[in-house]
Structures are given as C-alpha cells and as structure tokens.
Amino acid sequence: MTQEPLQLLYIADPMCSWCYGFGPELEQVLNALPEAELDIMTGGLRAYETEILSAEKRSTIMEHWRQVALVSGLPFSDQAMAQADFVYDTEPACRAVVTAKLVADDLSGRELLQVFRAIQHAFYAEGRDVTKAQVLTEVCVRSVNQIGQGADYDQLSFAETLASPVAMATVQEEFRQCQQWGVRGFPALLMVHDEALHMLTSGYTQAEQILETIAQVRQS
C-alpha cells in the first residue's frame, strides 16, 4: 500500500519566544523528512494588544526569554522591548507572514518558513521593533528576494499589501481557524493523516520525540 504524502502544519507566532526556540528542532524534523510538505499558519499570540508593556510584564517576558535561551542556545536582544513606549502587539508580524504568502504566492511552505525566521531573527537576535510596518517590510522583502535568487519584489508594493484590508482579513481568518482547531499554545505542529489533523506537539518539544510521534501516527 502506498503511504500518503506527509503533510505538516506549523502554527506559530513570529514574536513567540518558544516558537523562536523551537526553530532548530523544527529544522531537524524537516531535514529528517525531506519529502514532507509544510504549511504555516499564524496564531496571534498577543494580537491586537494596545497597552504599553509594563515593567512587570517586561520582567516576566524576559524570564521566559532566559529559559528559551538556556534550552535552545539562541541569541536574544531586548533592545526593541526595552523601548519605553513598546506595545507587544504580535498582529503586525503575523500579518507580514500572511503578506508574504499573498505577494509571493509561489513560495513553498519551507521557503515561507525562511521569511518567518527572518522576522524572528530581526526581533530576537537583532532587537529590531517588528511591530513597525517599515521594519517588517524591509525584513520580509529582503528575505523573499534572497529566496527567489534574483526575485525583485519591492518594498512599496509589499507595504501596500501589508496595510491592505485583504491582509488584515486574512490574518484574522487564520487566528479564527487556529482557535476552531483548539490550538491554544504555540508552537504547534500538526500532521494531516487519514483526512484528520493530529497534534504532534503543542509547545516546545525536541525533534527526536516529534519524529517518533510522526512514525506512530503513520503506522496507526
């Protein structure tokens, strides 16, 4: 019997620290399964936040970051979050991922993951404020053009799409879909098997355990 194609669905938020820390584990999973198809949806961890980040919340978040750094070994910079007027709204970063899908609709899921990671790197490693449209536009267009090897997407058209009602509605629909599926924690990695979704992990999990779970689901 021919085994069905392996389809993975990654639900995450570019400004979720555990999603950032999960990056190397996800990369190991994808490297071990070169035949796997990947789709990405954004979850909206702190979407539509309007309050300036308080010192207390900043301290709590920084403790999470220290834990993620310890587990993953990835670099962190708090430069963006240290701004006195910083609002930890993750909707713009999620919308930028959706915009990359809309603008460069020929991107594969694995290529879109590179754009996703570029936003993560800008925020966490470089300390850039990815709640700002200008920063997101610059980061995403550079990433998409690098992937395309000669692609020439321009920042103006990306910025226009990023600010469009279509992008805003599309990211809202992704948030709603994730809620309907019962996804509450990020990162979440799901697998399509026998026309059903199977949760492989909700939260940070090591690649070895995920690969074991995938093998079990495929055998069931």
Side-chain angles (χ1 to χ4, degrees), residues 79-195:
Q79 184 175 337
M81 202 170 63
Q83 298 174 103
D85 61 347
F86 184 71
V87 177
Y88 207 124
D89 176 15
T90 70
E91 188 272 347
C94 290
R95 182 160 30 95
V97 177
V98 167
T99 300
K101 292 185 196 180
L102 295 171
V103 170
D105 58 4
D106 59 337
L107 288 178
S108 68
R110 290 174 185 249
E111 289 171 335
L112 184 64
L113 182 62
Q114 294 181 47
V115 181
F116 187 97
R117 285 177 173 162
I119 299 172
Q120 289 179 310
H121 184 80
F123 181 55
Y124 286 108
E126 298 176 349
R128 301 185 68 186
D129 187 352
V130 296
T131 67
K132 305 297 186 187
Q134 182 177 350
V135 174
L136 287 167
T137 296
E138 180 185 331
V139 169
C140 291
V141 170
R142 184 190 300 119
S143 179
V144 170
N145 285 339
Q146 286 175 346
I147 294 165
Q149 296 181 346
D152 191 24
Y153 292 97
D154 65 277
Q155 292 191 22
L156 180 59
S157 62
F158 189 94
E160 288 176 347
T161 304
L162 180 64
S164 70
V166 172
M168 292 180 183
T170 303
V171 78
Q172 284 179 353
E173 182 54 38
E174 289 201 357
F175 296 163
R176 280 195 294 268
Q177 182 63 75
C178 293
Q179 290 171 356
Q180 288 174 4
W181 283 334
V183 176
R184 297 291 182 266
F186 308 114
L189 187 64
L190 293 79
M191 174 179 169
V192 181
H193 181 66
D194 285 343
E195 300 182 354

